[in-house]
Amino acid sequence: MESLISILAGLVVGAVGGYTLFRYVLKKTYNRILDEANRESEVIKEKKLLEVKEKFLNKKAELEKEVGQRNQRIQQAENKLKQREISLNQRHDELARRKSELDSTQSRLQNREQALNQRQGELEKLELQERAKLEELSGLSAEEAKARLVESLKDEARTDAQSYINEIMDDAKMTANKEAKRIVIQSIQRVATETAIENSVTVFHIDNDEVKGRIIGREGRNIRALEAATGVEIVVDDTPEAIVISAFDPVRREICRLALHQLITDGRIHPARIEEVVAKVRKQVEEEIIETGKRTAIDLGIHGLHPELVRIVGKMKYRSSYGQNLLQHARETANLCSVMAAELGLNPKKAKRAGLLHDIGKVPDEESELPHALYGAKLAEKFKEKPEICNAIGAHHDEMEMTTLLAPIVQVCDAISGARPGARREIVEAYIKRLNDLERIAMSYPGVTKTYAIQAGRELRVIVGADKVDDTQIEGLSNDIARQIQDEMTYPGQVKITVIRETRSVSYAK
């Protein structure tokens, strides 16, 4: 019995000890797991704090960069304003100085005029005295002497004029062919062109204004990505169903327009997709540029062009000059050059080649400070074009000396293509001013009563008073008006001046 009690007591003591040991081990494990969890939470917390801090620093750096750029733009604007103010002050000082010089000059002229008037009075008195003495000595009056002198001078002048005319006719017959070519070229060179507006924006039409929000994207990320990828400025404003793409480079505007069209059609608009579509469209446009250049060269029958020149010719498709498509203008100029060269007995193929390439300096891959004619000649020389072609390109705006007959042919054909009716746009104000200037110049001549500029400024009709201008004077009047218009004005094509003199007699039967 006692042994049974001892066993039971031992079991109880063992159970109590086992439970105590188990509880101790369990608590120790719990505390260890808790400590590890606390340590991991601290690590995660520190990691998150670092990420937040990094994002904050990045955002702060972006804001500081944007503020710096705005400050820089403001500083540049202030510098421009200061320079403009300095320039205006200098002009004001210069005007004041010129005014004082004019005042002093006017004073001197008035003094001289008074002295001249006094001298003229004295000379008239002396002239009367001398005339009286001559009449007394010769026994003829002044009118009789004048009549005899005029009659003798008429006969002498008539003989000399007839002899001079005969000499000119003989010389003209000997040099007729050479003189005809020179006259044709010099006459057509008088063609000039007006300044007009160039395109710098493209309007992209959309079906509804909800698309604008998708194009802008969250916080503007889509539109910023598109602008960065294409190098243009996209203006999304209140204009209904339209987005404006602004850039000086027409190729960039075309890439942006095509990319926008694909993005809107596809429906997926996000930065990664935008970059993918822009890269694809850029490649397509480059291929189309090269294909356009090749097709143009084949159509015109021009062979052996350097691949870079072919690409530059293709780029002309996306460029306009004074509102006229540059590629179309180059094709017209090339065909005109070929025709004129054939008429003058020159090589039409070279002329056509020079006409096609004359404006390649307007579509450079990199900016140049040279005028487009000189830069185009430099490009042609770089790509192994012949010297006469390079000279024709560089001299078509008189910025280089002409060394061959190809140069004036390209110059006049360039002017003809730009001056033909409908080729180029011109500003309404400039157009009205040109018509007013035509009428003003004609009205400044004595005897003119009315003037009318008609046919868009290509004809000027001048009506003179029959009692003020006779029939022998109207031809000289029309020539004088034409010469003054040619010297003082710039106009496309030519202006026909028609002087009208008529006598009207009106009676009334009562």
Side-chain angles (χ1 to χ4, degrees):
M1 189 68 178
E2 290 178 359
S3 60
L4 181 60
I5 292 171
S6 299
I7 291 170
L8 290 173
L11 289 173
V12 170
V13 171
V16 171
Y19 173 74
T20 303
L21 179 62
F22 172 74
R23 185 176 180 183
Y24 172 76
V25 172
L26 184 63
K27 185 175 182 181
K28 188 175 181 181
T29 303
Y30 170 76
N31 290 332
R32 180 175 57 79
I33 293 172
L34 186 62
D35 292 338
E36 290 178 355
N38 288 332
R39 284 195 299 271
E40 289 180 0
S41 65
E42 288 295 330
V43 171
I44 293 171
K45 181 178 179 182
E46 290 178 0
K47 186 176 179 181
K48 291 297 181 182
L49 286 173
L50 288 174
E51 289 179 357
V52 171
K53 187 175 182 181
E54 184 180 0
K55 288 183 179 179
F56 172 75
L57 291 175
N58 290 336
K59 185 64 73 174
K60 182 180 178 182
E62 290 178 1
L63 291 174
E64 288 177 351
K65 183 178 178 181
E66 184 176 354
V67 170
Q69 290 175 350
R70 289 185 180 179
N71 291 336
Q72 185 179 2
R73 289 197 294 269
I74 292 171
Q75 185 65 33
Q76 290 176 353
E78 290 178 353
N79 292 336
K80 287 182 181 178
L81 288 174
K82 288 180 181 178
Q83 291 176 358
R84 191 173 294 176
E85 184 179 0
I86 292 171
S87 176
L88 288 174
N89 291 334
Q90 291 176 350
R91 290 182 65 184
H92 184 268
D93 295 339
E94 180 70 16
L95 288 174
R97 184 180 63 79
R98 289 186 180 180
K99 184 179 179 182
S100 62
E101 290 178 356
L102 286 173
D103 292 339
S104 61
T105 304
Q106 186 176 5
S107 177
R108 289 197 302 270
L109 288 174
Q110 288 177 353
N111 295 333
R112 289 185 181 181
E113 186 178 2
Q114 292 176 358
L116 286 173
N117 290 335
Q118 185 177 359
R119 292 281 301 276
Q120 187 175 2
E122 296 174 357
L123 288 173
E124 287 176 354
K125 291 180 182 179
L126 290 173
E127 185 181 357
L128 292 174
Q129 293 175 3
E130 293 295 329
R131 183 179 296 178
K133 289 181 181 179
L134 287 172
E135 288 178 356
E136 184 179 353
L137 291 173
S138 64
L140 294 173
S141 65
E143 293 298 328
E144 292 175 348
K146 184 189 295 184
R148 291 187 181 182
L149 181 61
V150 167
E151 194 64 32
S152 63
L153 288 175
K154 279 184 180 179
D155 294 337
E156 184 179 354
R158 192 176 292 111
T159 303
D160 292 344
Q162 188 62 41
S163 175
Y164 185 61
I165 290 171
N166 291 335
E167 290 178 2
I168 291 176
M169 292 295 292
D170 293 339
D171 184 63
K173 290 177 182 177
M174 294 175 62
T175 60
N177 190 32
K178 180 179 177 182
E179 195 68 8
K181 291 180 180 179
R182 184 185 64 80
I183 290 172
V184 168
I185 293 175
Q186 287 187 351
S187 299
I188 303 177
Q189 273 183 309
R190 293 169 53 189
V191 177
T193 55
E194 280 280 328
T195 303
I197 305 170
E198 285 202 39
N199 294 327
S200 60
V201 296
T202 298
V203 179
F204 180 80
H205 296 282
I206 55 179
D207 294 334
N208 56 73
D209 289 340
E210 295 178 359
V211 179
K212 292 182 179 180
R214 295 169 55 198
I215 293 172
I216 294 172
R218 184 188 303 174
E219 299 177 354
R221 64 177 187 173
N222 289 346
I223 195 170
R224 284 200 302 271
L226 188 56
E227 288 179 345
T230 57
V232 303
E233 182 181 359
I234 301 173
V235 181
V236 182
D237 53 16
D238 296 331
T239 305
E241 298 181 357
I243 295 172
V244 177
I245 304 170
S246 175
F248 71 94
D249 190 343
V251 178
R252 294 183 188 174
R253 295 202 308 270
E254 180 67 10
I255 291 172
C256 183
R257 185 187 70 82
L258 294 175
L260 269 176
H261 178 72
Q262 288 195 18
L263 288 168
I264 292 173
T265 303
D266 182 52
R268 294 179 294 162
I269 305 177
H270 53 81
R273 176 64 177 166
I274 287 171
E275 293 178 359
E276 177 185 351
V277 170
V278 168
K280 183 178 178 181
V281 168
R282 181 176 286 112
K283 185 177 180 182
Q284 291 175 354
V285 170
E286 285 292 332
E287 292 174 354
E288 184 177 353
I289 286 173
I290 295 172
E291 184 61 28
T292 301
K294 290 180 179 178
R295 189 165 55 250
T296 301
I298 292 171
D299 291 344
L300 294 175
I302 296 174
H303 306 287
L305 279 178
H306 192 279
E308 277 300 312
L309 289 179
V310 172
R311 190 177 65 83
I312 291 173
V313 170
K315 283 180 67 176
M316 291 182 182
K317 177 183 177 181
Y318 300 100
R319 172 69 189 266
S320 60
S321 178
Y322 300 98
Q324 183 181 24
N325 182 266
L326 195 59
L327 180 59
Q328 184 63 30
H329 168 63
R331 292 173 67 107
E332 286 182 2
T333 305
N335 289 322
L336 287 169
C337 287
S338 175
V339 173
M340 186 171 291
E343 291 292 330
L344 296 175
L346 302 175
N347 190 333
K349 291 186 177 180
K350 286 185 179 179
K352 185 181 289 187
R353 193 184 192 96
L356 177 65
L357 300 177
H358 79 283
D359 271 345
I360 58 175
K362 287 186 177 180
V363 285
D365 291 328
E366 56 187 22
E367 292 299 323
S368 174
E369 295 180 358
L370 292 173
H372 78 271
L374 297 180
Y375 187 64
K378 183 179 177 182
L379 286 175
E381 184 178 1
K382 176 182 177 183
F383 297 122
K384 311 301 181 185
E385 288 295 320
K386 293 184 179 179
E388 55 265 37
I389 303 294
C390 299
N391 178 257
I393 295 171
H396 79 274
H397 283 312
D398 293 324
E399 290 163 336
M400 179 187 292
E401 183 180 359
M402 297 182 181
T403 58
T404 66
L405 275 177
L406 277 183
I409 288 175
V410 171
Q411 185 183 58
V412 299
C413 291
D414 174 46
I416 290 171
S417 174
R420 66 173 176 76
R424 297 183 173 183
R425 298 194 310 271
E426 57 180 5
I427 303 172
V428 176
E429 291 80 358
Y431 167 73
I432 295 174
K433 182 178 182 300
R434 177 157 58 84
L435 299 187
N436 289 334
D437 288 343
L438 286 173
E439 295 183 351
R440 175 185 56 77
I441 288 174
M443 282 297 295
S444 65
Y445 285 85
V448 177
T449 58
K450 293 180 182 179
T451 58
Y452 301 101
I454 61 176
Q455 294 186 7
R458 297 185 182 273
E459 181 178 353
L460 179 65
R461 291 188 178 175
V462 183
I463 299 175
V464 299
D467 55 338
K468 297 178 181 178
V469 180
D470 57 29
D471 289 340
T472 60
Q473 293 175 320
I474 58 174
E475 185 174 355
L477 178 62
S478 64
N479 290 332
D480 292 341
I481 295 173
R483 191 178 299 110
Q484 184 175 354
I485 291 173
Q486 179 180 331
D487 293 340
E488 297 182 5
M489 293 185 62
T490 302
Y491 49 90
Q494 61 183 10
V495 179
K496 178 182 177 182
I497 292 89
T498 304
V499 179
I500 301 172
R501 176 184 180 271
E502 59 182 3
T503 303
R504 297 186 182 184
S505 178
V506 179
S507 299
Y508 296 94
K510 299 180 180 178

